Amino acid sequence: MPYKPPVRDYAFILRDLLELERYANLPAFADASMDTVDQILEEAGRFTAEVLAPLNSVGDKEGCHWAADHSVTTPKGFKEAYRQLVDGGWPGLGSDPAYGGQGLPHVVNLAFSEMSSAANMAFSMYPGLTHGAYSAIHAAGTPEQKDLYLPKLASFQWGGTMNLTEPQCGTDLGMLRTKAVPQADGTYKISGQKIWISSGEHDLTENIVHLVLARIEGAPAGTRGISLFIVPKFIPDQDGNPGARNAVKCLGLEEKMGIHGNATCVIAHEEATGWLIGEENRGLSIMFIMMNEARLGVGMQGIAQAEAAYQAAADFAKDRLQGRSLTGPKNPDGPADPIIVHPDVRRMLMDAKAIIEGGRAFLFWTALHGDLAEASPDEAVRQKGHDYMALMTPVLKGFLTDRGFNVCSDAMQVHGGSGFTEHFPVSQYLRDCRIALIYEGTNGIQALDLVGRKLAADGGRGVMGFFAELDGFIAANEADAGLKPFTEGLAKAKAELQEATMWLMQNGLANPDNAGAASTDYMHLFGLTALAYMWAMMARTAQAKIAGGSTDPIYAEKLAVGRYYIARVLPETSGRLAKLKTGAETLMALPAEAF
Amino acid sequence: MPYKPPVRDYAFILRDLLELERYANLPAFADASMDTVDQILEEAGRFTAEVLAPLNSVGDKEGCHWAADHSVTTPKGFKEAYRQLVDGGWPGLGSDPAYGGQGLPHVVNLAFSEMSSAANMAFSMYPGLTHGAYSAIHAAGTPEQKDLYLPKLASFQWGGTMNLTEPQCGTDLGMLRTKAVPQADGTYKISGQKIWISSGEHDLTENIVHLVLARIEGAPAGTRGISLFIVPKFIPDQDGNPGARNAVKCLGLEEKMGIHGNATCVIAHEEATGWLIGEENRGLSIMFIMMNEARLGVGMQGIAQAEAAYQAAADFAKDRLQGRSLTGPKNPDGPADPIIVHPDVRRMLMDAKAIIEGGRAFLFWTALHGDLAEASPDEAVRQKGHDYMALMTPVLKGFLTDRGFNVCSDAMQVHGGSGFTEHFPVSQYLRDCRIALIYEGTNGIQALDLVGRKLAADGGRGVMGFFAELDGFIAANEADAGLKPFTEGLAKAKAELQEATMWLMQNGLANPDNAGAASTDYMHLFGLTALAYMWAMMARTAQAKIAGGSTDPIYAEKLAVGRYYIARVLPETSGRLAKLKTGAETLMALPAEAF
């Protein structure tokens, strides 16, 4: 069965949980009435299921083709699908109306992005990176740069990339060597080799805008000497159309475990012409605008692949007849029961639902804070929005992709032997999903960002605000008998997370290795607690809907999956806390040569 | 860096931990002096590292080739390596001297098997399945069948397979349809299609002996009507040489996520000539001889792939320079520190060592019980050996492959972006390893076998014996201050495992879905406790060696990794217990159509 966009779940989150219509008075939300949003979701579901999903396996099997003239051809069908994407008006959903966008809240665009990624992750990375380049230029470009590039990027007429990594330099951008030499006309000559450039070269757009980190001659060493440049594949002519070919070319493609439909390029800059964006030596801060957007997008990819894999597993489990229920036949007229009757199969499917639906709520809830950080007239709301975006981004990226990969692996397990063959789609979901744990900063880097930077930012204002919000929710709802498992589970997890936070404050300063040693367990403890909060809020919403007379089965289902989460996923928190409190000592005990 | 067989670790386990020389008075162990074993390990290490490992990537990239004449060609180099395997005398290591084997204890052969699998999993499956067929015929064949087939299988001159699965029938063998029609000459005509037959057709051996499950005409329905047949590809002539071509052929190969070098075949039996092995309708019990051996072998594969992946990760972590240690530069003269200085990288490498070395000890300890079950003159020792083999087999298969896969995934994570490319070996380890969670009974089936059959067998004698053994160890060592973390950790885990066992006894009978719902968490709780026992025993051994004056660094390393296991892996048990005690209710709450 093909991918079925979970449109009903988006509507639940946007209408019932986040109550989007509360914000109708804000300009950015004015055009986002739930009727409009429903229509957009339906149409997006159709487009992604009918146009993008059928090309997913094609992209995996065929991959991209590099030719000696440095051109790259995308898999059969990608070009036509991209044309339909552009013609359908999808690109501008979340972009600034000043540059041709529709200016809808990011939270609405996120639903479209998730559906695109679930339907075809490799394909969706082409527009995904384009939007990242759009955001960076939107935030830091000169008026001329904005006028020249943003309309083309907002419409996906041109593509965008991030040129960061070099062979000797991944996480540690201070080791970057690509050079930028200033020219008399104000441009720079960019020289150096970049690797692992997603969407780095392809045949989908008439131009590709590379955003390139490089070091201006004479700049300070390390990260304080890095600048960001716009390096277009074709230099725009006077009319803003693609003109002369720039000296930037694709030397080859990586062979990878997954996302074969996306061109992962080695890119050579050979005195390519580049334009500085933002200030000299301040490139990293602009790059992080792109990077933070990309990290949220990667967290979303974890959930998207998990959703697609879960759907395949659920279909298989309802279809495959094998064995009998432990409590007596459920399909007595058939030769066997469908395997969904078996508790251990249920366990994997329920784990998947608990993580996917809880994780999706966490993504959208955070994205709404991001929207409010920009759009709210209330300074306190804006500040909280910024605080939460900063604090939650590493958790969303690291926790949701770790868990999403596990869901994909469980989905393969539900398939039994069929899942290991390439005749079923789940191997691709598992292989594609795996990159999400690595790129845009490995999950270990996310965990370190969380404990090393985000917790302490502004005197811990973000995390303290989050704890206060959880306390407020628990206090407001602990008298509600129907929500008791949720408020109790959340209170326990929150207490453990707070204890871990205190432990980090006390022990991380004394020995930074303690913070590093605790980081991944802390990130998971944080994610598990955040999802407990999401499930508690969803349960409250669902319970109120049922009390209000709704018979839509989604509300009873949300309560059931939420109770499962509290009973069968959340208990992991205690072990995480116990582990991290043992500190760095046993972890660092061996000399390096013992490995 | 290529795979380096962990010969030193085998010697530690066999000499120091299991004290193999204690059993020198038993016939099966008479030829297994530690000097001999050391030589075998060294030579096996050389063979697997130099002959098998270089072909691992070749097999992955090239795969097997099927031709329209139903022949299958293995990847370039496999045939020559197989010839060296046979010529080197490796096949008969653990086989019966009566049939040309060397009759060494299985525990010695296990080391060779692990090295073969780590060096080249796909290749090692050809001889691995051959040994399974050998064991089944050895256990249940007639004297004529043994004389005809065992020498050829023990020498790997002929290959062997297991023909179980059919398109409609995997786990649920009762649905099997392949037919066997008795002939006047005592043979049977076998007809039916089998799928996912590993090593089902290839060019490595002059003959292939298929062991085929089929239903004799008129046999009872379900699993009580299944018989096992020997169906050779070439029917042996009067001299026992391959004669007439039998009507069994390969219709095609599966495309799979991994183990590309092993031919996974669709096999058609078209009135193929077969010989009954054992009694009519008793095929499953003989098949389970093969299956149990195979399950132990699969648990071993989980550890083997984890070892190979870990080695690649450790090499990468010591080599890759990126960032600085949180506690100050460790490589001040270089541009950055090797990433092994980072605690979160250490965490992944230490997790790997804790699981691999603990899991390996668990495998070898159980295999020794298997040897004693056959060889001990003491009835009580033999019984305990049988009890433990039965009880531990599903744990070894399910727990070690789940954990082995996680180690492979972490090993990829250590590599960062490099790991996702096929230029590094870790993607293959991860992809190859994934099948181990599925075949020979999915890990969910292992968990169900554990809670549904093995716990209750003989009135719970096996598990009660295991608890008594743990209690005995704790009592004997709790006064030892150096072992305190180990005895305390083990005591806590054992108490939790015992509590879970009691809960299962009380609640599994009342509602079988409770047992099913608890099974996977129980299996992991069991595995974690078993590894705590292994680490406690290894710590005691290492401590004694150090006290005895040994300066071999392996003993201090064992103590350090063991302490890490107790501090940073074992705390997971509490969450497992808490989850499983919530029972089946939340897990089974949703109707099937809600998925």
Side-chain angles (χ1 to χ4, degrees):
Chain A
M1 295 262 287
Y3 167 67
K4 298 172 291 292
V7 170
R8 180 68 190 88
D9 205 39
Y10 300 129
F12 168 78
I13 291 175
L14 295 175
R15 177 182 277 114
D16 299 335
L17 182 70
L18 302 181
E19 300 178 282
L20 210 61
E21 298 201 318
R22 278 194 294 169
Y23 307 102
N25 59 323
L26 305 183
F29 292 75
D31 293 334
S33 75
M34 270 313 296
D35 284 351
T36 306
V37 170
D38 283 341
Q39 280 173 26
I40 292 172
L41 294 177
E42 280 298 333
E43 199 48 53
R46 224 177 341 261
F47 175 75
T48 54
E50 292 174 9
V51 178
L52 301 188
L55 296 176
N56 197 34
S57 169
V58 175
D60 185 50
K61 292 195 163 51
E62 188 187 325
C64 295
H65 309 281
W66 179 85
D69 65 355
H70 309 294
S71 68
V72 171
T73 312
T74 53
K76 195 166 151 50
F78 272 39
K79 207 167 166 172
E80 169 58 18
Y82 193 86
R83 197 189 54 73
Q84 291 186 53
L85 174 81
V86 173
D87 291 352
W90 294 110
L93 222 54
S95 302
D96 187 344
Y99 302 103
Q102 298 178 44
L104 285 170
H106 297 310
V107 79
V108 176
N109 194 38
L110 183 59
F112 177 65
S113 297
E114 192 205 307
M115 289 186 258
S116 303
S117 182
N120 195 326
M121 178 166 164
F123 178 93
S124 72
M125 290 170 64
Y126 295 102
L129 285 154
T130 299
H131 196 268
Y134 162 90
S135 298
I137 296 176
H138 192 271
T142 63
E144 293 72 25
Q145 288 171 339
K146 291 185 185 186
D147 289 343
L148 177 57
Y149 290 105
L150 292 185
K152 306 281 195 183
L153 292 170
S155 66
F156 293 174
Q157 200 177 338
W158 292 3
T161 78
M162 293 164 70
N163 273 231
L164 277 56
T165 305
E166 300 176 5
Q168 81 293 346
C169 144
T171 299
D172 186 356
L173 287 170
M175 295 170 79
L176 193 123
R177 287 187 200 144
T178 295
K179 264 193 325 192
V181 181
Q183 305 297 303
D185 63 357
T187 66
Y188 292 79
K189 291 288 178 208
I190 313 288
S191 301
Q193 197 179 101
K194 298 287 183 177
I195 61 169
W196 304 341
I197 307 307
S198 297
S199 317
E201 176 60 60
H202 55 76
D203 55 358
L204 300 179
T205 55
E206 63 183 34
N207 203 359
I208 298 174
V209 181
H210 301 286
L211 293 195
V212 184
L213 287 183
R215 202 179 283 287
I216 297 172
E217 273 194 327
T223 55
R224 278 185 291 269
I226 298 175
S227 305
L228 187 65
F229 298 88
I230 300 175
V231 179
K233 175 179 169 186
F234 293 101
I235 296 172
D237 65 17
Q238 283 179 321
D239 303 321
N241 294 318
R245 184 71 166 87
N246 205 349
V248 49
K249 65 189 183 194
C250 174
L251 297 185
L253 300 176
E254 293 287 343
E255 261 190 88
K256 314 180 296 290
M257 190 169 82
I259 51 166
H260 297 159
N262 193 272
T264 307
C265 301
V266 178
I267 297 282
H269 298 270
E270 299 172 342
E271 303 207 327
T273 303
W275 284 264
L276 181 69
I277 172 166
E279 292 173 42
E280 280 187 20
N281 302 334
R282 301 274 299 156
L284 279 194
S285 64
I286 309 165
M287 192 274 293
F288 264 104
I289 296 168
M290 266 194 297
M291 183 62 97
N292 279 328
E293 178 176 317
R295 285 176 174 179
L296 273 177
V298 175
M300 176 275 289
Q301 288 176 330
I303 292 300
Q305 295 308 295
E307 169 74 39
Y310 157 76
Q311 288 188 13
D315 287 344
F316 188 90
K318 287 186 280 190
D319 194 49
R320 172 77 171 167
L321 304 180
Q322 205 76 181
R324 290 292 183 187
S325 164
L326 297 170
T327 56
K330 299 293 179 284
N331 176 33
D333 299 333
D337 290 342
I339 63 170
I340 198 169
V341 304
H342 302 305
D344 196 63
V345 171
R346 281 293 176 112
R347 174 187 61 79
M348 295 186 275
L349 297 176
M350 288 295 283
D351 276 351
K353 281 179 81 71
I355 292 298
I356 292 166
E357 296 174 21
R360 182 180 288 135
F362 187 27
L363 272 166
F364 280 74
W365 174 85
T366 308
L368 177 62
H369 278 292
D371 277 316
L372 296 176
E374 291 175 18
S376 177
D378 181 337
E379 162 66 21
V381 172
R382 287 202 307 276
Q383 185 186 80
K384 187 171 183 177
H386 284 296
D387 284 352
Y388 276 13
M389 279 294 277
L391 179 65
M392 304 303 171
T393 293
V395 184
L396 289 167
K397 197 282 185 183
F399 176 72
L400 294 187
T401 59
D402 272 1
R403 300 295 169 140
F405 180 70
N406 291 348
V407 169
C408 291
S409 186
D410 276 352
M412 177 174 282
Q413 200 66 14
V414 170
H415 282 79
S418 300
F420 196 66
T421 72
E422 298 288 355
H423 300 295
F424 286 79
V426 71
S427 161
Q428 185 187 355
Y429 295 135
L430 182 70
R431 290 183 288 101
D432 285 359
C433 184
R434 188 61 186 76
I435 188 59
L437 286 69
I438 298 172
Y439 62 12
E440 312 305 348
T442 64
N443 287 359
I445 292 296
Q446 303 304 318
L448 210 57
D449 177 48
L450 176 65
V451 304
R453 283 207 200 93
K454 300 303 175 62
L455 281 187
D458 302 305
R461 195 177 63 205
V463 71
M464 292 308 158
F466 184 54
F467 288 150
E469 180 171 341
L470 298 185
D471 286 338
F473 181 92
I474 294 162
N477 295 285
E478 63 191 346
D480 186 327
L483 294 179
K484 209 167 155 69
F486 295 95
T487 47
E488 286 182 355
L490 177 59
K492 177 169 179 292
K494 183 251 163 186
E496 289 170 328
L497 180 62
Q498 196 157 18
E499 185 179 340
T501 309
M502 295 299 293
W503 186 92
L504 271 173
M505 288 178 177
Q506 285 159 10
N507 297 279
L509 283 178
N511 175 5
D513 274 350
N514 278 328
S519 57
T520 288
D521 283 314
Y522 184 83
M523 179 177 78
H524 279 266
L525 179 50
F526 200 116
L528 288 163
T529 305
L531 259 59
Y533 181 43
M534 296 301 135
W535 276 115
M537 287 196 290
M538 290 194 279
R540 183 178 63 174
T541 300
Q543 187 176 270
K545 288 288 174 185
I546 292 169
S550 172
T551 55
D552 187 329
I554 196 175
Y555 300 116
E557 287 166 25
K558 287 288 174 197
L559 279 168
V561 179
R563 287 194 197 106
Y564 178 89
Y565 178 84
I566 301 293
R568 289 210 158 240
V569 181
L570 193 58
E572 186 189 315
T573 52
S574 307
R576 295 279 180 185
L577 176 63
K579 285 182 208 182
L580 75 82
K581 283 174 65 181
T582 64
E585 194 199 327
T586 61
L587 193 147
M588 301 299 285
L590 282 186
E593 55 279 14
F595 291 91
Chain B
M1 295 261 289
Y3 167 68
K4 299 171 290 294
V7 170
R8 180 67 189 90
D9 205 39
Y10 300 128
F12 168 78
I13 291 175
L14 294 174
R15 178 183 275 112
D16 299 335
L17 181 70
L18 302 181
E19 299 179 282
L20 210 60
E21 298 202 318
R22 279 194 294 167
Y23 307 102
N25 59 324
L26 305 183
F29 292 76
D31 292 335
S33 76
M34 273 310 298
D35 284 352
T36 306
V37 170
D38 282 341
Q39 281 175 26
I40 293 172
L41 294 176
E42 280 298 333
E43 199 47 53
R46 220 173 351 256
F47 175 75
T48 54
E50 291 174 8
V51 178
L52 301 188
L55 296 175
N56 197 35
S57 168
V58 175
D60 185 50
K61 292 196 163 53
E62 186 187 327
C64 295
H65 310 281
W66 179 85
D69 65 355
H70 309 293
S71 68
V72 171
T73 312
T74 53
K76 195 165 150 53
F78 272 39
K79 208 167 165 173
E80 168 60 17
Y82 193 87
R83 197 189 56 71
Q84 292 186 54
L85 174 80
V86 172
D87 291 353
W90 295 110
L93 223 53
S95 303
D96 188 344
Y99 301 104
Q102 298 179 46
L104 286 170
H106 296 309
V107 78
V108 176
N109 194 38
L110 183 60
F112 176 64
S113 297
E114 191 205 307
M115 288 186 258
S116 302
S117 183
N120 194 325
M121 177 166 164
F123 179 93
S124 73
M125 291 170 64
Y126 294 102
L129 284 154
T130 300
H131 197 268
Y134 162 89
S135 298
I137 296 176
H138 193 270
T142 64
E144 293 73 26
Q145 289 171 340
K146 292 185 185 185
D147 288 344
L148 178 57
Y149 291 104
L150 293 184
K152 306 284 194 182
L153 292 169
S155 66
F156 293 174
Q157 200 176 339
W158 293 2
T161 79
M162 294 164 69
N163 272 231
L164 278 54
T165 305
E166 300 175 6
Q168 79 295 345
C169 143
T171 299
D172 186 355
L173 287 169
M175 295 170 79
L176 191 122
R177 286 188 201 142
T178 295
K179 262 194 328 193
V181 181
Q183 305 296 303
D185 64 355
T187 65
Y188 292 78
K189 290 290 178 207
I190 312 290
S191 300
Q193 197 179 101
K194 298 288 184 176
I195 61 170
W196 303 341
I197 308 307
S198 297
S199 317
E201 177 60 61
H202 55 76
D203 55 358
L204 301 179
T205 56
E206 62 184 34
N207 204 359
I208 298 173
V209 181
H210 302 286
L211 294 195
V212 183
L213 286 184
R215 199 178 285 288
I216 296 173
E217 271 194 330
T223 54
R224 279 185 293 268
I226 298 174
S227 305
L228 188 64
F229 298 88
I230 301 176
V231 180
K233 176 179 170 186
F234 293 101
I235 296 172
D237 65 16
Q238 283 178 321
D239 303 322
N241 293 318
R245 183 70 164 87
N246 205 349
V248 48
K249 65 190 185 195
C250 173
L251 296 185
L253 300 176
E254 293 287 343
E255 263 190 86
K256 314 181 296 291
M257 190 169 83
I259 51 166
H260 297 158
N262 194 271
T264 307
C265 301
V266 178
I267 297 281
H269 297 271
E270 299 172 341
E271 303 207 327
T273 301
W275 284 264
L276 181 69
I277 172 166
E279 292 173 42
E280 282 187 18
N281 301 333
R282 301 273 298 156
L284 280 195
S285 64
I286 309 165
M287 192 274 292
F288 264 105
I289 296 167
M290 265 192 297
M291 183 62 97
N292 279 328
E293 179 176 319
R295 285 176 174 178
L296 274 176
V298 175
M300 175 276 287
Q301 288 176 330
I303 293 300
Q305 295 310 296
E307 169 76 38
Y310 156 77
Q311 288 189 14
D315 287 343
F316 188 90
K318 287 185 280 190
D319 194 50
R320 172 77 170 168
L321 304 180
Q322 204 78 180
R324 289 291 184 190
S325 164
L326 296 170
T327 55
K330 300 294 179 283
N331 177 33
D333 299 334
D337 289 343
I339 62 171
I340 199 168
V341 304
H342 302 306
D344 196 63
V345 171
R346 281 294 176 111
R347 174 187 62 80
M348 295 187 274
L349 296 176
M350 288 296 281
D351 276 351
K353 281 179 81 72
I355 291 296
I356 292 166
E357 296 173 22
R360 180 179 289 134
F362 187 26
L363 271 166
F364 280 74
W365 175 84
T366 308
L368 177 61
H369 279 291
D371 277 316
L372 296 176
E374 291 174 18
S376 178
D378 182 336
E379 162 65 20
V381 172
R382 288 202 306 275
Q383 185 186 80
K384 187 171 183 177
H386 283 296
D387 285 352
Y388 276 13
M389 279 293 278
L391 179 65
M392 304 303 171
T393 293
V395 184
L396 290 167
K397 197 281 186 184
F399 176 74
L400 294 187
T401 60
D402 272 1
R403 300 297 169 140
F405 180 70
N406 290 348
V407 169
C408 290
S409 186
D410 276 351
M412 177 175 282
Q413 201 65 14
V414 170
H415 282 78
S418 300
F420 196 66
T421 73
E422 298 289 354
H423 300 295
F424 286 78
V426 71
S427 162
Q428 184 185 356
Y429 295 135
L430 183 69
R431 290 182 290 100
D432 285 358
C433 184
R434 188 61 185 75
I435 188 59
L437 287 68
I438 297 173
Y439 62 12
E440 314 304 349
T442 64
N443 287 359
I445 292 297
Q446 304 304 318
L448 209 57
D449 177 48
L450 176 65
V451 302
R453 285 207 198 91
K454 300 303 176 59
L455 281 187
D458 303 305
R461 195 177 64 206
V463 72
M464 292 308 157
F466 184 54
F467 288 151
E469 180 170 340
L470 299 185
D471 286 338
F473 180 92
I474 295 162
N477 296 287
E478 63 191 347
D480 186 327
L483 295 179
K484 210 167 154 67
F486 296 95
T487 48
E488 285 182 355
L490 177 59
K492 177 168 177 293
K494 184 252 163 187
E496 289 170 327
L497 180 62
Q498 196 157 19
E499 185 180 341
T501 309
M502 296 298 292
W503 186 92
L504 271 173
M505 287 176 179
Q506 286 159 10
N507 297 278
L509 283 177
N511 175 5
D513 274 351
N514 278 328
S519 57
T520 289
D521 284 314
Y522 184 83
M523 180 178 77
H524 279 267
L525 179 50
F526 200 116
L528 288 162
T529 306
L531 259 59
Y533 181 42
M534 297 301 135
W535 276 114
M537 287 195 290
M538 290 194 280
R540 183 179 61 175
T541 299
Q543 187 176 271
K545 288 286 174 187
I546 293 168
S550 173
T551 55
D552 187 328
I554 194 174
Y555 300 115
E557 287 167 24
K558 288 287 174 196
L559 280 168
V561 180
R563 285 194 198 106
Y564 177 88
Y565 177 84
I566 301 293
R568 290 214 159 235
V569 181
L570 193 58
E572 184 189 317
T573 52
S574 308
R576 295 279 180 186
L577 176 62
K579 285 182 208 181
L580 73 84
K581 283 174 68 182
T582 63
E585 195 199 327
T586 60
L587 193 147
M588 301 299 285
L590 282 186
E593 56 277 16
F595 290 91

